[in-house]
Structures are given as structure tokens and as C-alpha cells.
Amino acid sequence: MQNSLLILLITSFIFFACNNDDDTDDNSSNCSAETLISSNLYADAPDDQLSINSLEIIDNCLKINFSASGCDGNSWEVKLIDSTVLLESNPPQRNLRLSLKNEEACLAFINKELTFDISSLKVSGNSVQLNITNTDKDILYQY
């Protein structure tokens, strides 16, 4: 009986000691997608018509609200792609493009909002200007 109780006690201790419920992990991302860094994708990824309505940075996520024609937008393939070129200015600048592959043939105008992890776009210093080339909007990423 004592051996069983001792084994149960040890097993419980190991289980609870190894359980990690820490939701404040700084390395975790709450963004819905990664930002791709590729000069080839930047040049060659699909470029279907879209309209960027707004940009907002929340922590290390770039929230993009955009619209395009379609049926419901569920089949859209959307990517945020960095050109790999760093423009030397103050602050430094990076060019990005929101790529949309849209094969929906409906006439509805769909509005979507996605977040992209932009932490990989950091450069030396504490900020970088993000130029979204398929819109006249840009945004300063401070970290």
C-alpha cells in the first residue's frame, strides 16, 4: 500500500512539475500567417486585384484589412512577401507585397483581415519603414 502511494505521489509530482501552462511566451506568435522573404516570390507570386483598406501593427503582427471581388474569399491564397532589399535611409525601408491568388468568379466584394508575423523584418536600430507596394499605404514598425 505504501509503495503504491509513493509511486502515485512521485508520478503526480513529475506530471505537475513538467506541465507548462505559461501563455506569456514571447516567442509565440498570435499572427495568422508568416511573412515570406523571397525576391523570387516577390516578383512572381500571384498578383490578382485587391484593395488594401488599412494597416495596423500590433506587437509583432501586421494586421492588413483588404477587399477583393469573389464569392466568399474562402479559397483565396494570400501571402505577404518581402523583396529582400533593404533601402538604406533613416529609418531603413523594406518593400513588401500582398499577394492574392483569387480564382473565385463571383461579383461580390469581400472584405478580409489577416495578421502577418513581421518579426523577421527587424533590422539594426529600433524601427523600419514597411512600404506595401500594391497600395499607397506604408507603416512604421517600431520595436
Side-chain angles (χ1 to χ4, degrees), residues 12-47:
S12 298
F13 175 78
I14 291 171
F15 175 77
F16 288 111
C18 294
N19 189 9
N20 184 3
D21 288 334
D22 187 8
D23 291 336
T24 60
D25 183 10
D26 290 336
N27 294 326
S28 67
S29 172
N30 293 326
C31 312
S32 57
E34 296 293 318
T35 300
L36 305 174
I37 301 175
S38 168
S39 57
N40 290 336
L41 279 177
Y42 183 84
D44 299 332
D47 195 17

Side-chain angles (χ1 to χ4, degrees), residues 11-142:
T11 305
S12 298
F13 175 78
I14 291 171
F15 175 77
F16 288 111
C18 294
N19 189 9
N20 184 3
D21 288 334
D22 187 8
D23 291 336
T24 60
D25 183 10
D26 290 336
N27 294 326
S28 67
S29 172
N30 293 326
C31 312
S32 57
E34 296 293 318
T35 300
L36 305 174
I37 301 175
S38 168
S39 57
N40 290 336
L41 279 177
Y42 183 84
D44 299 332
D47 195 17
D48 291 331
Q49 186 66 37
L50 62 85
S51 177
I52 295 177
N53 305 316
S54 66
L55 303 170
E56 181 182 6
I57 294 176
I58 302 169
D59 295 325
N60 290 314
C61 297
L62 174 61
K63 180 167 63 171
I64 302 178
N65 182 293
F66 66 99
S67 304
S69 64
C71 301
D72 58 13
N74 289 333
S75 67
W76 291 353
E77 293 178 29
V78 182
K79 298 175 183 166
L80 183 63
I81 307 166
D82 177 81
S83 69
T84 72
V85 175
L86 181 63
L87 305 172
E88 295 188 30
S89 60
N90 190 16
Q93 300 179 52
R94 298 187 81 122
N95 291 329
L96 296 102
R97 180 167 73 87
L98 188 63
S99 167
L100 172 65
K101 181 178 180 183
N102 180 3
E103 297 179 346
E104 297 181 357
C106 300
L107 298 177
F109 202 63
I110 310 299
N111 193 43
K112 285 207 171 221
E113 192 167 82
L114 296 173
T115 57
F116 297 90
D117 184 346
I118 55 173
S119 61
S120 61
L121 302 179
K122 292 179 181 178
V123 296
S124 61
N126 61 359
S127 65
V128 62
Q129 183 76 29
L130 304 178
N131 303 320
I132 314 300
T133 59
N134 48 343
T135 182
D136 60 351
K137 297 172 175 32
D138 55 14
I139 191 163
L140 183 64
Y141 176 31
Q142 296 179 303

